[in-house]
Amino acid sequence: DRNPDLYYTKFGILTSITYPTGGQTLFEYENNDYDFGGLRIKSITSNGIERSFGYNTSRQMTDHPEEMMIYNAYHMLGENPVVKYDLRLYENMVCVGTPMFPLNNSHIFYTDVTESFSNGEYIEYKYSCFPEPEQLCGMTMSAIVPQVSFACLNDFGNMPPLLTAESWYDANGKCIKSNFYTYKNNKILSFSVGVKLTPLVWYVSTIKRVAYPSMNLYAPYWIDENTFLIDTVNVHVSAAELVSKETTDYITGITTTESYTYDNALRTSNPRSVTLENSDGKKYTTEYMFAFDLDDEWHKKMIEDYNMYDAVVETKDFCNGSFLTSKNTEYTEKNGWIYPKIISKSILGNTQYEKY
């Protein structure tokens, strides 16, 4: 029996924190859905206030752990999503090497999570990922040999869940505030890591000449150069960027939208600019300059010797395109590291004054 046992799964897990001031936080766990393995938080209690969590629609990026011990492949026959009524082969690998690199651990996330509080209030969270699992069913074209599942020939790594929406509700179930997030999947690099040999066994059907599972029920019929498919396995590196965040306060009726831009060379994952637009039409923008934007020797040293790509050296604030304030940060080297030394601020273009 390879199903996870909650009693053993909880061995060595954090169950409580006791603070020097006398407070305490307690953690309660439960198994994930469908015996996928692993734990999820069931409740967190701090100083008598309990937060409980409910989960719906679990997602897993690889196969069930019970099937991952099988060193084999099974094949499924389905309709070609490109050409109607064209039945082709889909393949779903069930082996320890799925995904291909062991450092991309199989993870589980839930598209819908509810956090409930003792007073009856609750928050609903919605998650997604890049790419979505259903987007992995694309097919590679082949003239003679049936297609093999896109997911088996492409490794997208460990795809973390992304928060797409969160809504706050009062004890009466009335929504009082919500946030909606939009992302962009920024493709960075793709490269080949080898080839994959897939055995195919042909069987003549009244529907179409198709391949069926390599099982004793059907195999062998015949084996030749057309019963094996060799295709390239590719790894894709990408980063999800938060493009916008829309916040609605249903009590005041005010909606604000934050939009973000990023460095084209991806030298930092922090935004280049953040623009906040209110429902009254006013637009506030903050622009960021980083150490890598400057060519002097000192800032080059920050980048080359200390890898400080996220270090902000200047911020500028605007309202409807008009300049408001700027803030400059000077850094110093001390005890083998770089620290902020002086932060200066200027208002409406006036002389800068030292703030810190």
Side-chain angles (χ1 to χ4, degrees), residues 1-193:
D1 184 0
R2 298 187 183 277
N3 292 318
D5 188 312
L6 181 60
Y7 176 79
Y8 294 102
T9 307
K10 292 193 298 183
F11 275 20
I13 203 73
L14 178 67
T15 58
S16 67
I17 301 175
T18 302
Y19 305 97
T21 55
Q24 189 179 49
T25 299
L26 304 176
F27 302 91
E28 184 181 4
Y29 301 89
E30 61 186 4
N31 279 332
N32 281 305
D33 286 350
Y34 306 114
D35 296 326
F36 279 147
L39 296 173
R40 65 189 186 192
I41 291 286
K42 183 178 181 180
S43 66
I44 301 176
T45 304
S46 297
N47 301 323
I49 301 176
E50 181 181 358
R51 298 154 51 206
S52 59
F53 299 85
Y55 303 85
N56 291 299
T57 316
S58 59
R59 308 285 279 273
Q60 190 187 32
M61 297 299 104
T62 58
D63 293 292
H64 189 285
E66 193 174 38
E67 296 174 334
M68 289 180 69
M69 300 302 295
I70 304 174
Y71 288 84
N72 204 339
Y74 62 87
H75 310 285
M76 297 177 293
L77 185 66
E79 186 175 348
N80 187 336
V82 181
V83 182
K84 196 173 183 180
Y85 305 121
D86 181 17
L87 299 178
R88 296 299 176 94
L89 173 74
Y90 293 84
E91 179 189 359
N92 186 17
M93 294 301 296
V94 282
C95 67
V96 177
T98 307
M100 280 146 278
F101 295 103
L103 36 115
N104 294 329
N105 295 323
S106 169
H107 69 276
I108 301 165
F109 76 95
Y110 297 83
T111 59
D112 300 276
V113 178
T114 301
E115 180 182 6
S116 303
F117 301 89
S118 303
N119 61 1
E121 298 176 353
Y122 60 95
I123 305 174
E124 291 182 345
Y125 305 93
K126 292 186 178 297
Y127 294 88
S128 182
C129 71
F130 279 120
E132 284 284 357
E134 56 264 21
Q135 295 173 358
L136 297 179
C137 62
M139 298 195 295
T140 58
M141 300 305 296
S142 177
I144 302 177
V145 182
Q147 290 99 335
V148 172
S149 164
F150 187 65
C152 294
L153 299 175
N154 293 270
D155 189 351
F156 290 90
N158 196 357
M159 298 170 285
L162 301 172
L163 178 64
T164 59
E166 52 187 343
S167 301
W168 288 260
Y169 295 84
D170 61 18
N172 297 319
K174 181 180 179 181
C175 186
I176 57 178
K177 181 183 175 182
S178 63
N179 289 337
F180 295 93
Y181 303 87
T182 303
Y183 299 88
K184 172 187 176 183
N185 191 24
N186 193 358
K187 186 176 180 180
I188 301 175
L189 181 67
S190 295
F191 56 93
S192 172
V193 291

Side-chain angles (χ1 to χ4, degrees), residues 266-312:
L266 299 175
R267 290 168 292 186
T268 177
S269 59
N270 293 331
R272 274 287 200 177
S273 69
V274 179
T275 300
L276 174 64
E277 186 172 0
N278 295 328
S279 51
D280 61 5
K282 287 188 176 181
K283 185 180 294 185
Y284 299 88
T285 301
T286 300
E287 297 179 352
Y288 299 90
M289 179 182 291
F290 296 89
F292 55 75
D293 291 316
L294 303 176
D295 292 330
D296 60 278
E297 293 302 319
W298 168 244
H299 291 96
K300 284 183 178 180
K301 181 177 182 179
M302 290 177 60
I303 298 299
E304 296 172 359
D305 295 350
Y306 292 94
N307 200 32
M308 296 187 67
Y309 283 89
D310 294 336
V312 177

